[in-house]
Amino acid sequence: MNEDFFAAMRRATSSTRALNLTEATAIIQAALAGRPASVEPTAADPDILPPSPGHRQMSPGHRQKPFEVHPEAEIIDVETGQDAQTHAAAQRAGPHERQRRPLHEVVRMLREGRGSAFGAVAEGPLAGMAKPRRPPAIAAGAQFLSRSFSCAAGTRSFKLYIPASAPENPRGLVVMLHGCKQDPDDFATGTGMNTAAEAHGLLVAYPAQTGIENSASCWNWFRPTDQKHGVGEPSIIAGLTERLISEYGLDRRRVFVAGLSAGGAMAAIMGETYPDLYAAVGIHSGLAYGSANDVMSALAAMRGDATAFSGQCRGKSAASQVRTIVFQGSSDRTVHPSNADRIVASASATNTHSAPQTHKARSDGGRRYTRTRYIDEQGIPTLEYWLVDQAGHAWSGGHPSGSFTDPSGPDASHEMLRFFLGTDG
């Protein structure tokens, strides 16, 4: 490595500490590509995140202003690998007591999207691994089992809810992908999906991301190797799904996937890369497929600073096949609402449907929301978008015993199952 590269890394580190992530992204990408980064980037500069072939640009009138990084966000210093609080303490302790990561390791982390650098996606209230304050709801006679699945791409443990209403012949499956710093028990508690599924005789599977693969237990939705069919985390989730379909003889028309935040972004990937496996997808506070290809571009996309998204590695006409329901809080300070707009724009552009139907109302918990529905020629909703007014980065209508939940909003679990099963009134 030459002196120019080291100088670029120092500039990128300074920009990251100053929370100027777009500038840091441009500097790092230029350094890795071996070109100078002499021009100061702006949010509108296409060189920050070069568009891939086939990208779609959002219309100027549809784009929302990016927000600054939340002042309470847990920011991980890419040079030291420390969170903001630990780093501040180390600064006070003096240089002899600090531990710094070697520069080559920082570059490797940024290239691969691995390690503590991605801890920046987790909000301050979840400083450690989330633990539910009560166990997940389990109906009398139901089971909540701990299991594991392995394939060539790796191994993941998962929890499986077997409904008491249909223990021998479940009527379908919902695969639930948790967010960062969550685990299956916490996610089941917060979403209440077990209770919602019990009424319909559905299995619910909760795969668990490992701290080895991502230190914040995030699904690696931003890594190119985890955005493709047949490899990486998508192949593990798909393999787990296929195993349960075979084991329980499930109707493939009643197999669904949903997720929150990083899990929502991974659910979008599953719908794109395995459109023949899932009949419908639920994306809560997530991001569109192809929104990022490394940690820094992921952070930019999350804050609403990405001007385009890619259609690379798309599935078999996935967007035209997989029905999608999207939930998003209008005041989300972790994943900017413009990301939900991108998901909806992509799905609606490739589906044949009537003019969207918009309905405004207030939930039982008090939050106002706007529901926009797209109906196909057969009268079946192919896409729904729920924008929940003043809601943050939380599962709408969730139980307060789980992390990242908002009990005041409309019940996302109930509405997702209604949409999945086509039980609309």
Side-chain angles (χ1 to χ4, degrees), residues 260-273:
L260 170 68
S261 192
M266 184 56 73
I269 290 172
M270 299 309 297
E272 291 283 355
T273 57

Side-chain angles (χ1 to χ4, degrees), residues 225-271:
T225 53
D226 293 306
Q227 297 173 351
K228 300 176 182 178
H229 179 98
V231 296
E233 292 173 359
S235 69
I236 299 174
I237 297 167
L240 184 158
T241 303
E242 288 281 12
R243 175 70 58 82
L244 292 174
I245 290 173
S246 176
E247 181 178 347
Y248 288 93
L250 301 176
D251 183 345
R252 289 179 176 269
R253 295 171 299 178
R254 295 168 68 91
V255 175
F256 318 105
V257 62
L260 170 68
S261 192
M266 184 56 73
I269 290 172
M270 299 309 297

Side-chain angles (χ1 to χ4, degrees), residues 128-217:
M129 179 62 70
K131 295 296 181 184
R133 290 189 291 273
R134 70 176 180 89
I138 302 175
Q143 301 178 71
F144 198 45
L145 308 178
S146 296
R147 299 182 59 176
S148 179
F149 174 80
S150 296
C151 65
T155 299
R156 294 295 186 278
S157 62
F158 68 98
K159 298 296 286 286
L160 179 65
Y161 182 78
I162 303 175
S165 58
E168 301 298 329
N169 298 291
R171 304 185 187 102
L173 167 68
V174 182
V175 178
M176 293 285 286
L177 305 176
H178 62 72
C180 298
K181 296 203 171 182
Q182 292 183 313
D183 59 27
D185 283 343
D186 175 43
F187 199 40
T189 295
T191 62
M193 186 58 81
N194 291 350
T195 299
E198 179 68 42
H200 301 282
L202 302 175
L203 294 170
V204 189
Y206 300 86
Q209 176 62 303
T210 71
I212 294 175
E213 291 299 324
N214 186 290
S215 63
S217 295

Side-chain angles (χ1 to χ4, degrees), residues 104-380:
H104 72 274
E105 184 176 347
V106 175
V107 174
R108 178 179 55 79
M109 289 166 60
L110 292 169
R111 274 183 171 144
E112 301 177 2
R114 297 179 60 189
S116 298
F118 197 63
V121 304
E123 285 190 304
L126 289 179
M129 179 62 70
K131 295 296 181 184
R133 290 189 291 273
R134 70 176 180 89
I138 302 175
Q143 301 178 71
F144 198 45
L145 308 178
S146 296
R147 299 182 59 176
S148 179
F149 174 80
S150 296
C151 65
T155 299
R156 294 295 186 278
S157 62
F158 68 98
K159 298 296 286 286
L160 179 65
Y161 182 78
I162 303 175
S165 58
E168 301 298 329
N169 298 291
R171 304 185 187 102
L173 167 68
V174 182
V175 178
M176 293 285 286
L177 305 176
H178 62 72
C180 298
K181 296 203 171 182
Q182 292 183 313
D183 59 27
D185 283 343
D186 175 43
F187 199 40
T189 295
T191 62
M193 186 58 81
N194 291 350
T195 299
E198 179 68 42
H200 301 282
L202 302 175
L203 294 170
V204 189
Y206 300 86
Q209 176 62 303
T210 71
I212 294 175
E213 291 299 324
N214 186 290
S215 63
S217 295
C218 308
W219 295 101
N220 291 304
W221 59 274
F222 54 90
R223 267 188 344 203
T225 53
D226 293 306
Q227 297 173 351
K228 300 176 182 178
H229 179 98
V231 296
E233 292 173 359
S235 69
I236 299 174
I237 297 167
L240 184 158
T241 303
E242 288 281 12
R243 175 70 58 82
L244 292 174
I245 290 173
S246 176
E247 181 178 347
Y248 288 93
L250 301 176
D251 183 345
R252 289 179 176 269
R253 295 171 299 178
R254 295 168 68 91
V255 175
F256 318 105
V257 62
L260 170 68
S261 192
M266 184 56 73
I269 290 172
M270 299 309 297
E272 291 283 355
T273 57
Y274 290 88
D276 298 328
L277 183 57
Y278 301 101
V281 176
I283 304 171
H284 201 312
S285 309
L287 297 95
Y289 174 75
S291 293
N293 57 15
D294 59 18
V295 173
M296 301 304 286
S297 59
L299 292 170
M302 288 166 61
R303 68 182 295 271
D305 208 19
T307 59
F309 59 94
S310 166
Q312 61 177 342
C313 305
R314 296 182 73 90
K316 305 172 184 178
S317 300
S320 64
Q321 293 185 28
V322 182
R323 300 167 61 241
T324 303
I325 181 170
V326 179
F327 267 79
Q328 176 67 49
S330 68
S331 298
D332 191 332
R333 300 291 293 174
T334 299
V335 175
H336 194 276
S338 61
N339 288 286
D341 294 337
R342 292 186 178 97
I343 297 170
V344 172
S346 177
S348 62
T350 52
N351 279 281
T352 301
H353 50 71
S354 62
Q357 304 172 358
T358 300
H359 172 71
K360 296 179 181 290
R362 186 187 294 272
S363 70
D364 292 340
R367 288 209 186 278
R368 294 185 179 277
Y369 64 87
T370 300
R371 181 184 73 171
T372 304
R373 306 175 76 198
Y374 297 78
I375 312 296
D376 68 11
E377 296 173 344
Q378 287 73 43
I380 300 173

